[in-house]
Amino acid sequence: MKNGVSKKMSKKKYYAVVRGHKPGIYEEWYGENGAEIQIEYFSDALYKGFSTIEDAEAWLTHPEIPSPENPPKKMSKKKYYAVVRGHKPGIYEEWYGENGAEIQIEYFSDALYKGFSTIEDAEAWLTHPEIPSKKLQPEPKPPENPVTSEVLLYTDGACIGNPGPGGYGVVLLYGTHRKELSGGFRQTTNNRMELIACIAGLSALKRKCSVTLYSDSQYVVNAINKGWIKRWQSKNWMTTSGKKRINSDLWEQLLDLCNNHEVHFVWVRGHAGNPENERCDQLATHAASKPDLPPDIVYEDLKSTSGVQK
């Protein structure tokens, strides 16, 4: 999701995970066999990268546990965040919150940002950023019948008040692998949370997949399966009254993701005993009830100009 590759990161060959979904030593950061998925969405995760397997094993056995009196050195040095590519590029003195850098890069494709200890370094990098590049390699000839991964994706959205504080929950199932995602916003609608749940789940896929997406939202499933969404898109998201269709920003994102995968939408009845649907509901409801949620920027801007929308 995030760019900004540093020289130090390239030297890390082993990743020791002390607290995570599956503690151990990993030789990769990304991918289903990497360290990233072991610490992602794991509360109070503890991990570190090393250049040798010996150092990684030694730290795994006797890790330096961060404490309020002894916080992680690297994290404590980051005071300024320069966002080159994001919703609103600039320099931010906070990471979390409505005035922080995090919401500027969340759900922004190909975001580019970096943390610094001084404002001077942040300003210098913002003006002349180091753009990560990939070595050009001959493109492999694609197989005649590309093999895709079979993924089950369960989604749900929740909103307290509608509009009000909202959250989304996602469960991804691939073979023996399982991944749960959740998040929330301080002021939004239930339909937006249903859509964002689908977007978050599909965005988590690292390669082309064959996806069966289960949702208890008839708004989402019918719009896709009955072709409403194509008709809305063909009219440039304008209604017959000449107004911009509600949630068009999210529908555009969802359609782009569906074009990258083979997605089959299936409606399931909510609160009817489906274990994964119930789990998504728990994740969404819990996320909606958290304090200090970030703003749903698009919704709040629309609300301020045109009134309450659902």
Side-chain angles (χ1 to χ4, degrees):
M1 169 183 178
K2 301 177 179 67
N3 293 323
V5 180
S6 65
K7 293 182 180 179
K8 289 185 178 180
M9 181 60 75
S10 65
K11 295 181 180 179
K12 307 299 183 185
K13 298 180 180 179
Y14 303 95
Y15 302 91
V17 177
V18 174
R19 288 197 296 261
H21 299 291
K22 188 176 180 182
I25 295 176
Y26 298 82
E27 295 184 11
E28 300 174 2
W29 178 253
Y30 299 105
E32 60 186 69
N33 296 317
E36 183 190 38
I37 63 173
Q38 304 303 331
I39 56 93
E40 192 171 23
Y41 303 104
F42 188 94
S43 178
D44 198 28
L46 181 61
Y47 60 98
K48 192 173 181 181
F50 298 89
S51 57
T52 68
I53 185 68
E54 292 80 11
D55 289 344
E57 290 174 341
W59 190 80
L60 186 67
T61 306
H62 300 289
E64 301 168 0
I65 308 297
S67 65
E69 296 77 19
N70 182 31
K73 294 181 179 179
K74 288 186 179 180
M75 185 62 72
S76 63
K77 291 182 179 179
K78 306 300 183 184
K79 296 180 180 179
Y80 303 94
Y81 301 92
V83 177
V84 173
R85 289 196 295 259
H87 299 292
K88 188 177 180 181
I91 295 175
Y92 298 83
E93 296 184 13
E94 300 174 3
W95 177 252
Y96 299 106
E98 61 183 271
N99 297 318
E102 184 188 38
I103 63 173
Q104 303 303 332
I105 55 92
E106 192 170 23
Y107 301 115
F108 190 95
S109 177
D110 199 28
L112 180 61
Y113 62 98
K114 193 174 181 181
F116 297 89
S117 57
T118 68
I119 186 69
E120 292 79 12
D121 289 343
E123 290 174 343
W125 190 79
L126 187 67
T127 307
H128 301 289
E130 300 169 1
I131 308 297
S133 61
K134 297 180 180 179
K135 293 182 178 180
L136 295 178
Q137 297 178 349
E139 293 187 3
K141 185 179 180 180
E144 294 182 1
N145 297 303
V147 177
T148 57
S149 303
E150 297 287 340
V151 174
L152 300 182
L153 172 57
Y154 291 84
T155 67
D156 196 21
C159 193
I160 304 171
N162 196 29
Y168 64 87
V170 176
V171 173
L172 285 153
L173 301 175
Y174 168 54
T176 59
H177 299 280
R178 177 189 183 89
K179 188 172 187 177
E180 296 184 351
L181 309 173
S182 64
F185 299 89
R186 69 185 183 188
Q187 189 71 201
T188 188
T189 69
N190 189 77
N191 283 341
R192 288 185 68 80
M193 291 299 93
E194 296 283 2
L195 285 166
I196 287 179
C198 299
I199 292 168
L202 293 173
S203 296
L205 303 177
K206 307 298 184 184
R207 58 177 178 272
K208 182 177 181 180
C209 296
S210 175
V211 183
T212 302
L213 191 155
Y214 297 92
S215 170
D216 61 12
S217 169
Q218 292 191 17
Y219 169 68
V220 172
V221 176
N222 286 343
I224 295 291
N225 291 345
K226 295 186 177 183
W228 302 345
I229 190 66
K230 293 295 184 181
R231 186 166 69 252
W232 298 343
Q233 187 182 42
S234 69
K235 296 181 179 180
N236 199 28
W237 307 106
M238 302 302 291
T239 65
T240 54
S241 62
K243 295 181 179 180
K244 192 77 170 180
R245 186 167 294 278
I246 296 170
N247 303 328
S248 60
D249 61 309
L250 299 179
W251 282 118
E252 287 182 325
Q253 292 182 55
L254 181 57
L255 283 178
D256 286 343
L257 288 166
C258 287
N259 289 334
N260 295 333
H261 305 281
E262 297 173 4
V263 187
H264 176 52
F265 285 76
V266 178
W267 180 75
V268 293
R269 187 177 299 278
H271 309 290
N274 183 302
E276 302 303 350
N277 177 259
E278 297 290 347
R279 177 55 180 160
C280 288
D281 179 70
Q282 292 172 359
L283 291 169
T285 303
H286 178 68
S289 63
K290 287 185 176 181
D292 302 321
L293 291 173
D296 181 346
I297 296 174
V298 173
Y299 172 75
E300 292 195 11
D301 285 349
L302 288 173
K303 181 181 176 184
S304 64
T305 57
S306 59
V308 176
Q309 299 189 11
K310 294 184 181 181

